[in-house]
């Protein structure tokens, strides 16, 4: 069964009916239920209700991961004040699963790490690194954390230096597994980029293949 | 964190609480979490979470995405990208490193585009998109996975704060061999020895030479259908029941065999039924035996039983009963043939019990001895002797020291020792194979041992001659035979024995007079003791005599061996301090023998005592004597036991004795005194002495106090012990007397116990014996001694000194004994004690003789003489020879106590024999033979007197000290120097030296301590009783006891 609510009015009505009762998330949205919302900006969001706060009118949905990766999901925090309509696709009966304890230190560390990483990238970007270079950096960083920008060069493990245009041939360093490994990563990165067709044509990227594909 | 239930149901509160707002952005998460908990715990808490913080789900999800990159779209359509840092109660969102997302795709922000952090009001936020969030990223993984205990499991509440009810795990019906339950269902009681041996042989190639029959340590109990055996068996069973029925025993057993397993005790899981129950619970050896039936073969069982018995004894009631029973048995044995059927019957049952209790193990020897004795001599006597041995062992329960000694004795004297051990055992303790003592005198501490042996032998002979000279002789011989195995001089013994028997008869006559008054039970006990003593004495005498001979040498060798075995250190020392040490050793040995072959040992002691008693009671005692002699026959078995003695060393008693001896070589006297004290301690009756002692001899007093203390707590024990001791010494006499004097119940007992000895040897002796045997021993000895001393004042000033104390003590003893004996029978005994005391006073002559003897011994050869005395003492007086003392102290300690008493009696007898010649022929013979052969013998006599008198109770204190003191005092006694020395030596251990000057007083204390130590040993069995008493009385003893036990 689907209910359509016009957020503002609906909430008002609800609040009016229930007076000052402290509505829990479950009172308007059953935790675990599926909801579809249309924001005022015209963005439709659908997902499983994770939490809802009446006073702030903040609704949290867990949606399918945009990247399609397993074991992850997108979380959307929606302010129902700016939602044109809410469709309750289905309600979930029964009590929601217990909430697990969270390791806040781990979360805090993640936040700090993410921030540093972003700043690091920003620094590199500000240095005039090409988009291709930035993408490559991000790709390498996923595999090898020990990588950093040195001017426009990507330094991996303090051993391998990737200079613009960041091609496989640009990987230099002491002969060894490190260079070979990095080259594989770089090679795969560009191959993936091409395959995805989400190519950002850069000087470095403009290979024949790329051109061909792009073409 | 644990957000779970935090604000789950809480109202948002509508307002951003200051608290929430106050919390820093970074801290929000935590605070919120923490508060969540708090809220959960205390819903009405003042710090109500406001806004989003009150929304558990929201808090949880928002916290889970902290650190994730997100795109935040504001209502004007601008998108900001940043790292989600935290959020506020109003759902204000904080993004770190945020930048305004440019329309250009895939172009990273420039450094200058990034804003450190941006706070977005919820009202401005349209949508926040977190991509690829791992909601399980921050889930806590318990780092305590390993703590899979009830507590850890139940503690994983995660927000819930109520006790988690653990449910028992039901493994189902699987009973696979590998399952956990198989362990619980395993009915086996640990590894079977055979399995262990097999495993070691297969795995390590170690071939065990273990023989379950312990043939190298003991002799299997020869079971027969004879009435006596059955009686003894019944008696043993009865004793076992009494012991095991005691509350204290149960309480102690419960400690080890708690119905509940640890799981049951400490688990948080409540299980309904304990199916396992005691299936796999430890079963004491004794129990096993019982369960399995009483197989003597199971030496272990016996030993366990002994232990058990000992526990039982500790319980005052049990202890007394045991003792009483034991004495009874002894008496019975003694009486075996004699008059007191009831006592005997009781005794026999007791013996049986004892046997049963002890099972075959250590007592195996006892049983063996008993059986052997039974076989050899008339069943009753033999039994009696054996039973005596067993009883002693059983009694040892009460007189753990003895038993230990016996064991130790047996163990110590391996081959020769075996013989010697028996003798030693006999001499000092009940069955102390006089032969050993005799032998021991010759070789190890020749003089002491000889003296003892002589005494024992003489007594035995006397006893034998009186009641059943042949029997006695036989026992003696048989016992000696055991010792003979080592080529002892049992034959030689016979003459002495006969003499002793005669003396004993005389004593018995006298004794009867005294004993007649004694209650039957007491008498029984006394008798039993007396018989033993006589037996021992005869043996001792014989041994002494023989000691003079090559046989003696052999015996001596045995004795020495035993001594060595029991207390190698002591022995070594003994020789030099021989008199005292020898005595100590002898006494110890005697004890050992007693233990090993109580019959023999007992017989010897009994003989000695009986001799005294006999002298006094003469005829009556004579009869007992024969019995005792028979017991001595049992000793023959004891001989076999000698090997056991080796084993015995392991026993607390022996080891303890040894240490003690060693420690107190010279102190041996002291040791003896200690031993005596121990005995005294053991004997509640002794307490009376204490009162008395105060006046005259501190030592005596001490002893008596100690005795009293112990006795008081453990009236039965103390009594029993006294009896034992008394028995041992007295046994012969008592037996004769008692047996002969069926009528004398109360008086008889004390007297019988002590009396017999006294009677046999001399009146004085009898008195001494009485004191000794009844714990009286102390009292009796004191009394007797006192009387003796007084009467004999001449003999020794020290005696006088002591005597006065003793005199005092005797009365007190009598009273105390009465008190302690307050327990029914005991009361009688105490009476007897009193009676005996008077008698003893009469005995003075004997004592005088004794004193003389002591003097003689001292003069003759302080070392040798002492040694002889020691031997005698060994039997009776541990003090004489350090070695003996050591033994006494060590092994004897427990058994020693008895043995000592016995030994003392024997010594007394010896004295009587020596000095009292008149009273009882035995004294003469003993003294003579010993003396003759060994000047030391006289010394021995001395020692004996002192020991005997004091010995038994405090007697060692008094006796030894007195004797020594006297000797010392009475320069006349060459021994004095030697004695003093001895005393010093002995005292050193116990604190003897001081005594020297102060005479009895110092010695007494010392001795008391020593005694306690001794006591400890003996008490090992009596542990509880004695220990407690000892504790009270003296920590030393306890320690010693502990040591002894350990050993």
């Amino acid at each position: 069964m689907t209910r359509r609510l016009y957020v503002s009015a609906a909430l008002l009505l609800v609040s009016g009916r229930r007076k000052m009762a402290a509505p829990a998330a479950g009172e308007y949205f059953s935790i675990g239920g599926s909801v579809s919302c249309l924001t005022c900006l015209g963005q439709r969001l659908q997902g499983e209700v994770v939490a809802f706060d009446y006073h702030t009118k903040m609704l949290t949905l867990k949606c399918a991961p945009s990247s399609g990766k397993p074991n992850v999901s997108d979380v959307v925090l929606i302010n129902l004040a700016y939602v044109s309509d809410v469709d309750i696709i289905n309600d979930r009966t029964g009590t929601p699963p217990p909430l697990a304890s969270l390791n806040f230190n781990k979360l805090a560390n993640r936040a700090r790490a993410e921030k540093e990483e972003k700043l690091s990238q920003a620094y590199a970007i500000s240095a005039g690194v090409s988009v291709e270079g930035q993408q490559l950096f991000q790709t390498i960083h996923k595999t090898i954390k020990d990588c950093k920008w040195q001017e426009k060069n990507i330094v991996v493990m303090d051993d391998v230096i990737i200079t613009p245009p960041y091609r496989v041939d640009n990987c230099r360093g002491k002969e060894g597994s490190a260079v070979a490994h990095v080259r594989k990563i770089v090679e795969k990165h560009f191959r993936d980029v091409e395959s995805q067709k989400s190519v950002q044509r850069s000087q470095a990227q403009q290979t024949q293949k790329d051109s061909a594909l792009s073409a | 964190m644990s957000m779970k239930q935090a604000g789950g149901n809480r109202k948002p509160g509508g307002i951003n609480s200051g608290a929430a707002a106050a919390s820093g952005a970074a801290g929000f998460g935590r605070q919120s979490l923490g508060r969540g908990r708090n809220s959960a715990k205390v819903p009405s808490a003042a710090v109500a979470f406001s806004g989003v913080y009150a929304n558990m789900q929201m808090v949880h999800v928002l916290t889970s995405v902290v650190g994730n990159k997100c795109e935040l779209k504001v209502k004007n359509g601008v998108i900001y990208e940043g790292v989600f840092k935290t959020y506020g109660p109003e759902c204000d969102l904080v993004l770190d490193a945020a930048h305004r997302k440019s329309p250009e795709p895939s172009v990273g922000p420039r450094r200058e585009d990034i804003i450190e952090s941006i706070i977005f009001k919820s009202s401005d936020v349209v949508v926040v998109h977190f991509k690829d969030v791992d909601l399980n990223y921050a889930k806590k993984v318990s780092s305590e996975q390993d703590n899979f205990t009830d507590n850890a499991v139940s503690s994983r509440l995660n927000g819930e704060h109520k006790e988690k009810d653990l449910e028992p795990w039901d493994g189902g019906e699987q009973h696979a061999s590998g399952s956990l339950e198989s362990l619980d269902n395993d009915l086996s009681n640990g590894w079977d020895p055979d399995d262990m041996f097999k495993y070691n042989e297969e795995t390590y190639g170690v071939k065990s030479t273990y023989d379950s029959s312990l043939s190298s340590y003991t002799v299997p109990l020869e079971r027969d259908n004879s009435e006596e055996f059955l009686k003894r068996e019944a008696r043993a069973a009865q004793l076992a029941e009494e012991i095991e029925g005691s509350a204290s025993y149960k309480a102690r057993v419960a400690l080890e065999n708690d119905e509940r397993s640890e799981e049951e005790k400490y688990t948080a899981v409540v299980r309904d039924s304990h199916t396992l129950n005691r299936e796999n619970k430890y079963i004491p050896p004794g129990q096993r035996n019982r369960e399995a039936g009483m197989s003597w073969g199971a030496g272990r069982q016996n030993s366990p039983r002994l232990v058990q018995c000992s526990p039982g004894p500790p319980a005052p009631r049990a202890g007394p009963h045991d003792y009483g029973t034991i004495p009874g048995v002894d008496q019975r044995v003694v009486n075996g043939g004699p008059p007191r059927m009831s006592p005997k019957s009781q005794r026999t049952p007791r013996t049986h019990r004892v046997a049963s209790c002890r099972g075959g193990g250590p007592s195996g020897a006892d049983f063996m001895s008993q059986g052997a004795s039974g076989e050899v001599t008339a069943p009753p006597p033999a039994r009696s002797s054996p039973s005596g041995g067993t009883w002693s062992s059983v009694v040892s329960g009460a007189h753990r020291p003895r038993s230990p000694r016996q064991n130790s004795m047996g163990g110590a004297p391996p081959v020769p020792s075996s013989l010697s051990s028996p003798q030693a055992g006999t001499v000092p303790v009940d069955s102390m194979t006089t032969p050993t003592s005799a032998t021991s005198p010759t070789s190890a501490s020749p003089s002491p041992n000889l003296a003892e042996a002589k005494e024992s032998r003489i007594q035995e002979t006397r006893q034998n001659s009186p009641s059943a000279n042949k029997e006695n002789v036989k026992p003696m011989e048989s016992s000696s035979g055991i010792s003979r195995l080592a080529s002892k001089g049992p034959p030689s013994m016979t003459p002495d024995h006969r003499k002793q028997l005669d003396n004993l008869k005389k004593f018995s006559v006298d004794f009867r007079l005294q004993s007649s008054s004694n209650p039957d039970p007491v008498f029984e006990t006394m008798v039993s003791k007396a018989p033993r003593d006589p037996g021992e004495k005869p043996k001792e005498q014989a041994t002494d005599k023989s000691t003079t001979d090559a046989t003696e040498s052999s015996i001596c060798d045995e004795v020495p061996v035993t001594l060595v075995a029991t207390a190698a250190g002591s022995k070594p020392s003994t020789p030099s301090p021989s008199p005292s040490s020898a005595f100590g050793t002898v006494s110890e040995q005697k004890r050992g023998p007693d233990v090993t072959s109580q019959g023999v040992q007992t017989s010897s002691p009994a003989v000695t005592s009986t001799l005294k008693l006999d002298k006094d009671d003469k005829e009556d005692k004579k009869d007992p004597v024969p019995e005792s002699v028979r017991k001595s026959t049992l000793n023959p078995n004891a001989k076999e036991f000698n090997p056991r003695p080796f084993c015995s060393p392991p026993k607390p008693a022996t080891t303890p004795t040894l240490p003690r001896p060693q420690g107190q070589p010279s102190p041996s006297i002291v040791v003896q005194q200690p031993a005596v004290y121990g005995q005294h301690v053991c004997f509640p009756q002794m307490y009376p002495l204490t009162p008395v002692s105060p006046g005259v001899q501190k030592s005596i007093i001490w002893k008596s106090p100690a005795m009293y203390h112990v006795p008081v707590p453990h009236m039965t024990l103390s009594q029993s012990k006294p009896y034992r001791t008394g028995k041992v010494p007295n046994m012969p006499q008592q037996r004769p007397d008692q047996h002969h004097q069926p009528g004398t119940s109360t008086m008889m007992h004390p007297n019988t116990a002590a009396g017999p000895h006294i009677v046999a040897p001399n009146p004085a002796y009898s008195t001494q014996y009485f004191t000794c045997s009844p714990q009286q021993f102390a009292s009796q000895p004191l009394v007797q001694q006192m009387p003796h001393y007084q009467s004999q004042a001449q003999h020794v000033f020290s005696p006088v000194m002591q005597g006065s104390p003793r005199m005092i003590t005797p009365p007190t003893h009598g009273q105390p004994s009465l008190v302690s004996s307050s327990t029914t029978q005991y009361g009688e005994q105490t009476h007897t004690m009193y009676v005996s005391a008077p008698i003893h006073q009469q005995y003075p002559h004997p004592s005088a003789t004794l004193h003389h003897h002591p003097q003689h011994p001292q003069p003759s050869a302080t070392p040798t003489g002492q040694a002889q005395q020691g031997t005698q003492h060994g039997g009776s007086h541990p003090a004489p020879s350090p070695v003996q003392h050591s033994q006494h102290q060590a092994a004897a300690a427990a058994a020693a106590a008895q043995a000592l008493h016995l030994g003392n009696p024997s010594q007394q007898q010896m004295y009587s024999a020596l000095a009292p010649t008149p009273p009882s022929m035995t004294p003469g013979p003993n003294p003579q033979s010993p003396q003759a052969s060994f000047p030391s013998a006289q010394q021995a006599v001395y020692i004996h007197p002192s020991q005997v008198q004091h010995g038994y109770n405090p007697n060692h204190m008094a006796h030894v000290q007195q004797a020594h003191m006297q000797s010392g005092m009475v320069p006349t006694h060459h021994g004095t120097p030697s004695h003093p020395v001895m005393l010093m030596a002995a005292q050193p251990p116990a604190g003897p030296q001081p005594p020297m000057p102060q005479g009895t007083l110092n010695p007494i204390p010392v001795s008391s301590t020593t005694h306690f130590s001794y006591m400890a040993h003996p008490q090992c069995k009596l542990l509880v009783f004695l220990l407690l008493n000892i504790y009270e009385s003296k920590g030393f003893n306890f320690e010693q006891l502990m040591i002894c036990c350990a050993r």
Side-chain angles (χ1 to χ4, degrees), chain B residues 404-405 407-409 566 645 648-659 890-892:
Chain B
R405 284 188 178 181
N407 294 336
S408 64
M409 291 302 290
T566 55
S648 64
K651 295 179 180 179
T654 50
T655 48
T657 52
L658 292 175

Side-chain angles (χ1 to χ4, degrees), chain A residues 52 73 82 99 102 115 118, chain B residues 1 4 55 97 116 123 133:
Chain A
F52 173 71
S73 59
Y82 304 105
L99 299 177
L102 299 178
K115 179 180 179 182
K118 182 174 182 180
Chain B
M1 300 305 285
K4 290 184 179 180
N55 187 324
E116 180 67 15
S123 59
V133 173

Side-chain angles (χ1 to χ4, degrees), chain A residues 1-6 28-29 33-37 44 46 85-91:
Chain A
M1 181 182 80
T2 302
R3 277 188 301 170
R4 170 167 292 186
L5 297 178
Y6 294 90
Y28 303 95
F29 303 96
S34 294
V35 173
S36 175
C37 303
R44 175 158 291 281
Q46 179 176 342
D85 81 321
V86 176
D87 289 337
I88 296 175
I89 298 171
N90 63 60
D91 287 338

Side-chain angles (χ1 to χ4, degrees), chain A residues 22 39 41 43 45 50-53 55-56 58 60 62 65-67 71-79 82 99-107 110-111 114-115 118-119 122-123 125-126 131 134-135 200, chain B residues 1 4 11-12 26 30 55-58 60-61 63-64 66-69 73 75 81-82 90-91 97 99 106 108-111 114 116 122-123 125-133 135 137-140 158:
Chain A
T39 66
L41 298 178
Q43 183 181 12
L45 300 170
V50 175
F52 173 71
D53 184 66
H55 293 280
T56 58
M58 298 299 283
T60 303
K62 183 172 73 174
S66 58
S67 64
N71 300 327
V72 296
S73 59
D74 284 1
V75 174
V76 178
L77 183 63
I78 303 170
N79 187 342
Y82 304 105
L99 299 177
S101 297
L102 299 178
N103 185 335
F104 190 79
N105 287 333
K106 194 174 182 181
L107 295 171
R110 180 174 67 174
E114 288 287 340
K115 179 180 179 182
K118 182 174 182 180
L119 293 175
Y123 183 81
I125 293 170
S126 63
V131 175
Q134 294 178 40
Q135 291 177 336
Q200 291 297 325
Chain B
M1 300 305 285
K4 290 184 179 180
K11 295 181 180 179
R30 291 182 183 179
N55 187 324
M56 183 174 68
Q57 286 83 10
M58 186 62 76
H60 185 266
V61 69
T63 302
S64 295
V66 168
N68 274 82
K69 290 179 181 178
K73 186 181 291 183
K75 58 186 176 182
E81 179 178 338
E90 289 302 308
C91 210
H99 70 278
S106 73
R110 301 178 73 84
R111 181 69 184 81
I114 294 175
E116 180 67 15
S122 61
S123 59
V125 175
V126 176
V127 156
V128 180
H129 196 161
F130 298 87
K131 292 182 179 177
D132 297 339
V133 173
L135 293 176
Y137 174 80
K139 278 187 179 178
K140 266 191 173 178
N158 189 27

Side-chain angles (χ1 to χ4, degrees), chain B residues 17-225:
Chain B
S17 67
S23 62
F28 270 142
R30 291 182 183 179
Q31 289 182 353
S32 66
L33 293 176
R35 290 183 180 179
R37 285 185 179 179
N38 291 335
S39 66
K41 290 180 179 178
V42 184
S44 63
V47 182
F49 294 102
S50 60
V52 173
Y53 291 164
N55 187 324
M56 183 174 68
Q57 286 83 10
M58 186 62 76
V59 168
H60 185 266
V61 69
L62 290 179
T63 302
S64 295
V65 297
V66 168
N68 274 82
K69 290 179 181 178
C70 66
E71 293 177 356
L72 185 151
K73 186 181 291 183
V74 295
K75 58 186 176 182
N76 67 355
V78 175
I79 297 174
Y80 290 88
E81 179 178 338
V83 177
F84 183 65
K85 177 74 173 186
T86 186
Y87 54 94
E90 289 302 308
C91 210
D92 296 334
L93 304 177
V94 178
L95 298 183
D96 273 1
H99 70 278
R100 180 174 178 173
K101 188 173 184 177
S102 65
E104 291 184 40
S106 73
V107 172
R110 301 178 73 84
R111 181 69 184 81
E112 52 273 26
D113 296 336
I114 294 175
I115 300 170
E116 180 67 15
S117 65
I118 301 173
I119 299 174
F120 300 91
K121 288 189 176 180
S122 61
S123 59
D124 295 334
V125 175
V126 176
V127 156
V128 180
H129 196 161
F130 298 87
K131 292 182 179 177
D132 297 339
V133 173
D134 180 4
L135 293 176
N136 294 327
Y137 174 80
K139 278 187 179 178
K140 266 191 173 178
V141 176
S142 174
S143 62
E144 300 172 352
Q145 294 290 350
D146 294 342
N147 297 337
F148 192 72
T149 61
D150 288 349
N151 186 45
V153 170
S154 62
S155 66
R156 290 170 193 162
L157 301 175
N158 189 27
E160 295 183 20
H161 297 279
K162 65 178 181 179
E163 284 292 333
K164 182 181 289 183
D165 293 332
L166 299 178
E167 296 178 2
W169 176 73
D170 183 2
E173 294 300 327
Q174 16 180 316
H175 293 286
S177 61
S179 70
L180 293 174
E181 289 189 352
S182 65
L183 295 175
D184 292 339
N185 293 335
D186 185 358
L187 300 181
S188 66
N189 186 8
W191 277 61
D192 183 89
D194 293 334
D195 291 342
M196 288 188 271
F197 294 140
K198 182 179 180 182
Y199 180 86
N200 281 315
E201 183 175 358
E202 292 176 351
T203 305
Y204 305 107
V206 176
K207 179 68 176 180
S208 173
T209 59
Y210 170 75
D211 181 357
S212 62
S213 67
L214 299 178
S215 60
S216 61
Y217 301 95
T218 186
V219 174
L221 172 67
E222 295 182 8
R223 305 175 70 85
D224 57 34
N225 294 329

